[in-house]
Amino acid sequence: MASSSDATASTNERPEGPEASGRRGRVRLKRAAVMAVPATAVAAGLMILTAQGALGVQFAISGMPFVVTADKLEGEGFAQFGSLDHMIENSPNEGDTGGQVLVVTSVVKNGKLTNLCQSVDLGGIQLVLTAGNKSTPVSVKNLAIDSDDISGDASFNNIEIGRDSSTFDKVDQQGPRGVYGQQADSVVITDLYQHNYAATAAVFKLPDLHMSFTSEGCPQ
């Protein structure tokens, strides 16, 4: 992320129009952990770290991205750093990625999400999950989510930008040595949008959970 909470632009284009123009001016969190140096240099460095075992990939991703939206994310203990996600060898979803996806890992120690929606395109049909859309928000503990596009209106409390991700002390998860990171005591993001490849959580409570197949995914 840049040196304030109202920088960066997404590289994943979404259709232009009234909804798209309404998102202009919102805080762009894309590349939050890597924009201090050219993206190609970051990717090369992360690949070296991964080859040396420094990133410790937790599981092979499917390579099928999923979208998460929420009216509001409130988090106590927040951190971000650059990482690489890996698919299985010869995955049918690798395309021209070589089976690796450069992502930003966002970590929330304790958080709440209001009006959560998650959708994944299964090839012409969307699997949609909703929760926390009534009186009780979704609650998470030690959430780590890997994204290549994040947007919303964000506010941070006591943020530290450019910190070595291996020295994080506001969350329970640390990144690799020498990787650019940032952390904050707390974060609030409204109108949250994430384009994700993986997520883990120690606790993930979903009140008013509903899952269905629909023709359209989460509203963006």
Side-chain angles (χ1 to χ4, degrees), residues 128-146:
V128 178
L129 175 155
T130 60
N133 53 6
K134 296 182 179 179
S135 59
T136 305
V138 170
S139 61
V140 295
K141 182 177 179 62
N142 292 334
L143 172 69
I145 192 161
D146 292 353

Side-chain angles (χ1 to χ4, degrees), residues 30-217:
K30 179 77 164 68
R31 304 185 209 138
V34 298
M35 71 167 296
V37 294
T40 52
V42 171
L46 288 172
M47 288 177 186
I48 293 171
L49 287 169
T50 301
Q52 295 173 343
L55 290 182
V57 176
Q58 292 182 314
F59 58 82
I61 63 170
S62 70
M64 298 177 65
F66 58 97
V67 167
V68 169
T69 64
D71 288 351
K72 180 184 287 188
L73 164 67
E74 299 172 274
E76 294 295 328
F78 175 78
Q80 285 183 322
F81 59 94
S83 187
L84 277 176
D85 281 349
H86 299 261
M87 303 175 205
I88 61 172
E89 187 175 357
N90 298 320
S91 169
N93 299 319
E94 70 178 36
D96 60 358
T97 66
Q100 295 180 323
V101 181
L102 181 62
V103 295
V104 172
T105 297
S106 302
V107 181
V108 177
K109 186 173 183 179
N110 293 288
K112 296 180 179 180
L113 298 107
T114 303
N115 197 19
L116 172 71
C117 180
Q118 175 181 302
S119 62
V120 58
D121 189 343
L122 299 177
I125 189 73
Q126 298 274 345
L127 175 59
V128 178
L129 175 155
T130 60
N133 53 6
K134 296 182 179 179
S135 59
T136 305
V138 170
S139 61
V140 295
K141 182 177 179 62
N142 292 334
L143 172 69
I145 192 161
D146 292 353
S147 316
D148 67 348
D149 187 6
I150 309 172
S151 66
D153 297 313
S155 175
F156 300 94
N157 183 37
N158 293 329
I159 191 168
E160 299 172 352
I161 299 170
R163 182 164 177 154
D164 189 301
S165 68
S166 69
T167 68
F168 289 155
D169 56 13
K170 298 181 186 295
V171 295
D172 293 335
Q173 179 174 337
Q174 295 179 332
R177 291 183 178 184
V179 170
Y180 181 97
Q182 61 182 24
Q183 66 171 0
D185 285 345
S186 62
V187 62
V188 176
I189 305 176
T190 56
D191 297 324
L192 174 67
Y193 169 90
Q194 294 179 319
H195 187 265
N196 305 318
Y197 281 92
T200 62
V203 176
F204 202 2
K205 295 183 178 180
L206 298 162
D208 306 307
L209 170 66
H210 181 256
M211 296 179 68
S212 63
F213 292 99
T214 68
S215 60
E216 297 183 356

